[in-house]
Amino acid sequence: MQWAMKGKSDWAKAGSYLRHAMALQCPVCGQSPMFPSVARTRTLRDWFTPLDGCPRCGYAYDREPGYFLLSIWAINYGTAALFGLVLYASFEWFFDWPVWTLIAAVVGPVVVFNLLFARHSKSIFVAWDHFFDPHEREGGDDGGNKPVEAPRLPFRPPRRARLPVDAGV
């Protein structure tokens, strides 16, 4: 598969996107935040929901309903499962604890990790998605990062004729 990369190699572009994602910044410009600041976070919904898009370059973070399902199921839960397995194996290796103590020592940090890593998993997913499937214009004066508009129809569809209403019924 060939990607249209202008100016940077694929690895440099992917590294740039990943650095921006880990800093919770826009993957395209790297300037604007993807999420509200911690000081402006009032509810769990504010914590988990990204902003609509980048105010600087116009890149939309959420393309459609259900867009972030893969980020939650694959990236967030997958990373947390690996973290839990590594934590359990290291506790098992270094300590002689009973099984229920090991499980209790692993479950708490994994739950906290899931909550803290949720923003990063969404940010990584947006960067990954933008790398493999960028939705941007080719060139242009606006920076080329706004979503492509739908093509206009070359003609206007005819209006439906009104049927006469039968008043006697």
Side-chain angles (χ1 to χ4, degrees):
M1 177 181 275
Q2 184 76 16
W3 294 291
M5 296 290 168
K6 297 178 182 172
K8 290 185 177 181
S9 71
D10 289 348
W11 288 107
K13 188 73 94 169
S16 170
Y17 290 163
L18 186 60
R19 277 190 306 280
H20 295 163
M22 292 309 291
L24 299 176
Q25 302 292 325
C26 173
V28 179
C29 69
Q31 301 294 319
S32 300
M34 278 190 66
F35 292 90
S37 66
V38 176
R40 296 184 64 206
T41 302
R42 304 283 184 237
T43 63
L44 276 177
R45 182 175 175 86
D46 292 342
W47 177 259
F48 291 120
T49 306
L51 300 172
D52 292 332
C54 179
R56 184 172 179 270
C57 68
Y59 186 76
Y61 299 141
D62 192 358
R63 288 193 192 185
E64 60 192 349
Y67 177 70
F68 289 115
L69 284 176
L70 184 62
S71 75
I72 296 300
W73 284 100
I75 299 172
N76 195 25
Y77 293 158
T79 307
L82 288 174
F83 173 69
L85 287 172
V86 168
L87 198 61
Y88 184 85
S90 29
F91 285 161
E92 178 70 30
W93 181 268
F94 292 113
F95 302 107
D96 189 25
W97 291 342
V99 171
W100 291 109
T101 306
L102 282 171
I103 291 173
V106 170
V107 168
V110 167
V111 169
V112 171
F113 177 81
N114 265 332
L115 293 173
L116 295 177
F117 192 68
R119 287 177 149 202
H120 288 86
S121 68
K122 289 181 180 183
S123 180
I124 290 168
F125 181 73
V126 169
W128 176 48
D129 185 42
H130 180 64
F131 178 73
F132 287 108
D133 184 26
H135 63 289
E136 59 185 28
R137 291 185 186 144
E138 295 291 328
D141 294 335
D142 60 356
N145 292 326
K146 295 187 178 162
V148 178
E149 294 177 12
R152 298 186 186 273
L153 294 174
F155 64 94
R156 183 178 223 172
R159 293 182 177 233
R160 298 175 109 192
R162 292 186 175 219
L163 298 174
V165 178
D166 189 11
V169 177

